């Protein structure tokens, strides 16, 4: 036992004597390891390249708006439009920072605590962890794949640090705001502003900006705000939290905070977008691509904003008045048919035999004389069932619709119009618009302006030429005005019972309504012409008067004589609709 004690004592003495040396060795090893890690990190940092945004992120859609800037629709694989940060109000930027990364303006691009938490969750198999900085979110969403691995997390951190060192905070924030997903299919702040509130990002209010910033947290859940009470209530709480943070940081004043009210969201999910508005987008997309010298596919993916000449309010009113429908003959005339016939001839209506289903097609075109801007182009009620545009492409038998121009010498591009048996409603409207403009033909157009990222790429100007003499135009006007002794010139024409035309014009607007009927195709049996119902005359008149009233009523009291129009002959005033 005594020997054992002596050995233990000697061992303790040796341990005490060598402790310092061993600690020094361990420290050297630790420092060497740390140096290697730091060196590896430095090498990795220098070898790391900031990748280009992946193709899905770079894709954009093209948006179409009407003459007033109201949203018509979009084309493209992704609902995203890139805009400069200058078009995002400062308080909207600060709302996003308050909601997602309050240290954004001062941090190094990463959050070490969040990275450690995410790494532990990956190793331990726990739930995915959030809390990344705005820079990290941008790198993850726009520059890297979404896989959840340690190597990808490490690369994300390195790229984020490098991005923060080589790009300004505004550049990073701009990239983030243009790519972050907001729900409702919208990627980026511009598309989100339109999807949730129907405005451009530059027009967002403080309350709207805070609401969009609040949505980013769980976009697939919060996208139902405004239609789901439970979701809305939860979003209101987060919205309040964001506004409080903004007020605390000085991003908004106490008065702005006190006056903030939760904004009204557009209903979601939206209604069917395949209605007749797609006819307008088809026409404008074809023309816009031609003006830019690109394909329609390139246009759809290019992030353009196409401002059309259409008046959406008048177009929607036209759709209500003239929606295509199937009218069925059931062996006896309808009450409307009886009333129309009795009013016309005063005779007792007789019963008719069953003739089967009849589909009445209505095409409506409204043009600005001397300018060519197309305000209404109604080519059908349901694009999904009939993508063919009756107003732009349909050949409708003219009959007596062109009678006022018989014997006149029309110049190009109207030279052969009077010899055309079945012109399109758009072409027929253009000849009456020429008469309204005292013989000046203006090429019809549907695209007023094309922009991208705030830069104007194309702006329309009237393309005019003399297509009939001023005297001939005056003859047509005298004939049509005198015939009705009315303030508007009106011509009604028909091809037997198969078609009915009505064109009304003055110096400011030309409106053409064309009706024709058919027995719809069934199986292998093709569609066949059919006589129009007795109500066609009253229907045509109702559409014409209703659309004319709607368009003229949107002039908002503007005096067309206040501004001359270089596209019109000397002395003629500028068309009402071209002045808005």
């Amino acid at each position: 036992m005594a020997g054992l004690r002596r050995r233990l004592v000697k061992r303790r003495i040796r341990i005490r004597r060598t402790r310092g040396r061993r600690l020094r060795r361990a420290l050297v090893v630790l420092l060497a390891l740390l140096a290697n890690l730091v060196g590896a990190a430095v090498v990795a940092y220098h070898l790391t390249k900031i990748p280009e945004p992946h193709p899905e992120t770079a894709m954009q859609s093209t948006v179409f708006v009407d003459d007033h800037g109201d949203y018509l629709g979009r084309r493209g694989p992704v609902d995203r439009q890139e805009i400069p940060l200058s078009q995002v109000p400062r308080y909207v930027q600060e709302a996003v920072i308050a909601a997602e990364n309050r240290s954004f303006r001062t941090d190094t691009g990463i959050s070490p605590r969040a990275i450690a938490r995410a790494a532990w969750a990956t190793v331990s198999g726990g739930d995915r962890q959030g809390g990344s900085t705005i820079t990290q979110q941008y790198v993850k969403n726009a520059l890297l794949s979404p896989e959840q691995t340690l190597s990808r997390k490490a690369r994300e951190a390195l790229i984020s640090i490098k991005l923060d060192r080589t790009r300004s905070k505004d550049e990073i924030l701009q990239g983030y705001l243009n790519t972050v997903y907001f729900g409702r299919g919208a990627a980026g702040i511009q598309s989100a502003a339109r999807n949730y509130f129907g405005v451009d990002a530059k027009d967002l209010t403080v309350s709207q900006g805070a609401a969009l910033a609040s949505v980013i947290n769980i976009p697939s859940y919060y996208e139902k705000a405004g239609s789901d009470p439970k979701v809305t209530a939860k979003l209101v709480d987060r919205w309040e939290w964001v506004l409080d943070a903004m007020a605390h940081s000085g991003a908004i004043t106490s008065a702005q905070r006190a006056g903030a009210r939760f904004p009204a969201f557009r209903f979601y999910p939206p209604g069917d977008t395949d209605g007749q508005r797609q006819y307008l987008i088809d026409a404008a997309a074809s023309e816009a691509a031609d003006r830019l010298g690109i394909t329609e596919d390139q246009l759809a993916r290019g992030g353009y904003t196409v401002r059309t000449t259409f008046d959406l309010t008048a177009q929607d009113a036209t759709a209500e008045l003239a929606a295509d429908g199937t009218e069925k003959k059931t062996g006896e005339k309808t009450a409307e048919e009886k009333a129309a016939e009795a009013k016309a001839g005063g005779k007792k209506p007789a019963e008719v035999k069953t003739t089967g289903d009849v589909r009445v097609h209505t095409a409506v075109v409204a043009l600005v004389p001397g300018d060519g801007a197309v305000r209404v182009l109604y080519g059908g009620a349901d694009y999904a069932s009939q993508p063919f545009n009756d107003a732009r492409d349909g050949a409708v038998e003219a009959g007596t619709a062109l009678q006022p121009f018989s014997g006149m010498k029309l110049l190009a591009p109207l030279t052969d119009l009077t010899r055309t048996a079945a012109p399109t409603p758009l072409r027929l409207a253009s000849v009456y618009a020429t008469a309204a403009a005292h013989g000046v033909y203006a090429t019809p157009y549907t695209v007023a302006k094309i922009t991208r990222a705030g830069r104007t790429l194309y702006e329309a100007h009237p393309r005019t030429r003399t297509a009939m003499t001023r005297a001939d135009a005056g003859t047509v006007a005298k004939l049509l005005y005198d015939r009705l002794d009315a303030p508007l010139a009106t011509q009604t024409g028909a091809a037997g019972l198969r078609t009915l035309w009505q064109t009304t014009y003055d110096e400011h607007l030309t409106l053409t309504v064309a009706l024709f009927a058919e027995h719809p195709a069934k199986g292998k049996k093709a569609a066949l012409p059919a006589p129009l119902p007795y109500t066609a005359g009253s229907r045509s008149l109702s559409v014409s008067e209703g659309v004319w009233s709607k368009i003229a009523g949107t002039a908002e009291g503007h005096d067309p004589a206040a501004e001359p129009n270089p596209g019109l002959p000397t002395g003629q005033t500028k068309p009402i609709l071209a002045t808005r």
Side-chain angles (χ1 to χ4, degrees), residues 185-200:
I189 189 71
Q190 175 74 346
S191 295
R194 281 210 171 111
N195 275 273
Y196 282 89
F197 302 113
V199 300
D200 288 327

Side-chain angles (χ1 to χ4, degrees), residues 111-130 132 136 148-154 156-157:
S111 170
R113 183 180 298 178
I115 291 175
R117 187 170 60 244
W120 174 251
T122 301
V123 171
S124 63
D127 295 333
R128 293 180 181 179
Q129 298 293 309
S132 298
Q136 287 176 268
Q148 296 292 317
T149 63
L150 282 175
S151 61
R152 196 205 63 81
K153 278 288 182 183
E156 174 190 305

Side-chain angles (χ1 to χ4, degrees), residues 66 68 70-72 277 280 310-317:
D66 82 342
H68 299 285
D70 293 331
Y71 181 74
L72 271 178
R277 289 190 187 187
L280 307 184
F310 302 122
D311 183 328
L312 189 53
T313 300
Q315 184 77 28
D316 288 346

Side-chain angles (χ1 to χ4, degrees), residues 385-397:
S385 61
Q386 181 199 301
F388 184 82
N389 189 323
D390 286 328
R392 185 179 67 158
D393 305 311
V396 183
E397 195 173 0

Side-chain angles (χ1 to χ4, degrees), residues 54-118:
H54 45 71
E56 293 79 5
T57 304
M59 288 182 182
Q60 301 185 62
S61 63
T62 285
V63 168
F64 297 81
V65 299
D66 82 342
D67 185 51
H68 299 285
D70 293 331
Y71 181 74
L72 271 178
R74 71 174 182 89
R75 288 279 169 88
V78 178
D79 191 0
R80 188 181 82 86
Q81 277 198 307
E82 198 164 297
I83 58 173
L85 191 64
S86 59
Q87 291 186 19
V88 182
R90 181 73 178 194
Y91 49 76
V92 177
Q93 300 175 34
E94 294 301 327
V96 172
I97 291 171
E100 293 297 304
N101 177 197
R102 296 180 185 180
S103 65
F104 171 72
R105 299 285 184 191
T106 57
D107 64 34
T108 60
I110 63 170
S111 170
R113 183 180 298 178
I115 291 175
R117 187 170 60 244

